[in-house]
Amino acid sequence: MRLVVLGPPGAGKGTQAVRLAEHFACADVATGDIFRANVAEGTELGRAAQEFMDRGDLVPDGLVIAMVMDRLAESDCQAGFVLDGFPRTVAQAEALDRRLVDLGTPLEAALSFEVTEDELLRRLAGRAAAQHRADDAEQTIRHRLEVFAIKTAPLIDYYAHRGLLVNVDAIGPIEVVTKRILAALDGNRRPA
Ligand code: AMP
């Protein structure tokens, strides 16, 4: 399975991406996790990304695209991947398309997680308290939602035009949302 997961911060992408990667026995590639690990290890990439992350801004496309292309070349991605948090801009989506077309392994679906803004704010406040994520601090949350609306939401149309978009109601118990996703993917998957 080659899948991208789109949705605002707090939509549950990370939780579902782990479960989907397990279900499809493929790699779970979460760009936010990779950046956080680089920040924790003090790598050059981490130092370059940190100021953007702390402000709730996107890390520049050049850095993100290079990192993801390297990651997709690793052997575990041969079995497919669930991309969580990438692409977040049209330029990232185009870079991904180019790479996958070159490899002859196009995306199979783009999942769009639908959650109301009230529910997002409630979840993000809970996550800030539980995980001490600097970018879940209250003043940063609204900014991240704005960045999503401006930079990432256009990808919903981008994938709809390509016949890849699968919308999912992401409110409900974790297992119920996973079942909904799997059912929706079954109905929408591009024939091999
Ligand atoms: P996440 O855990 O996916 O919410 O990502 C945390 C932060 O990492 C984001 O707010 C961005 O600063 C950065 N980040 C993760 N993925 C991307 C991406 N595809 N493009 C730009 N920045 C990203």
Side-chain angles (χ1 to χ4, degrees), residues 41-104:
E41 288 162 22
T43 66
E44 198 179 319
L45 178 64
R47 283 196 296 278
Q50 184 163 24
E51 55 169 314
F52 298 98
M53 296 173 72
D54 286 349
R55 285 202 303 264
D57 283 325
L58 295 184
V59 176
D61 282 338
L63 285 179
V64 186
I65 291 169
M67 177 185 90
V68 172
M69 295 306 134
D70 284 352
R71 180 68 187 86
L72 292 181
E74 287 177 32
S75 58
D76 61 331
C77 291
Q78 300 298 310
F81 51 78
V82 178
L83 269 175
D84 161 17
F86 182 96
R88 261 170 152 111
T89 65
V90 170
Q92 293 178 16
E94 289 172 346
L96 179 65
D97 276 351
R98 277 195 298 274
R99 166 61 67 94
L100 296 178
V101 165
D102 283 352
L103 293 172

Side-chain angles (χ1 to χ4, degrees), residues 108-113 164-168 181 184-185 188-189:
E108 292 171 80
L111 279 181
S112 174
F113 282 31
L164 292 172
L165 190 70
V166 177
N167 290 304
V168 182
I181 293 170
L185 284 174
N188 283 265
R189 237 173 127 173

Side-chain angles (χ1 to χ4, degrees), residues 83-145:
L83 269 175
D84 161 17
F86 182 96
R88 261 170 152 111
T89 65
V90 170
Q92 293 178 16
E94 289 172 346
L96 179 65
D97 276 351
R98 277 195 298 274
R99 166 61 67 94
L100 296 178
V101 165
D102 283 352
L103 293 172
T105 54
L107 270 188
E108 292 171 80
L111 279 181
S112 174
F113 282 31
E114 298 179 327
V115 186
T116 59
E117 184 162 315
D118 279 355
E119 174 70 10
L120 289 178
L121 292 171
R122 203 181 58 73
R123 289 185 189 183
L124 288 164
R127 186 163 80 182
Q131 298 179 4
H132 304 290
R133 268 181 63 160
D135 62 352
D136 278 343
E138 204 180 323
Q139 67 272 25
T140 318
I141 291 174
R142 281 193 188 273
H143 181 58
R144 293 173 66 213
L145 292 174

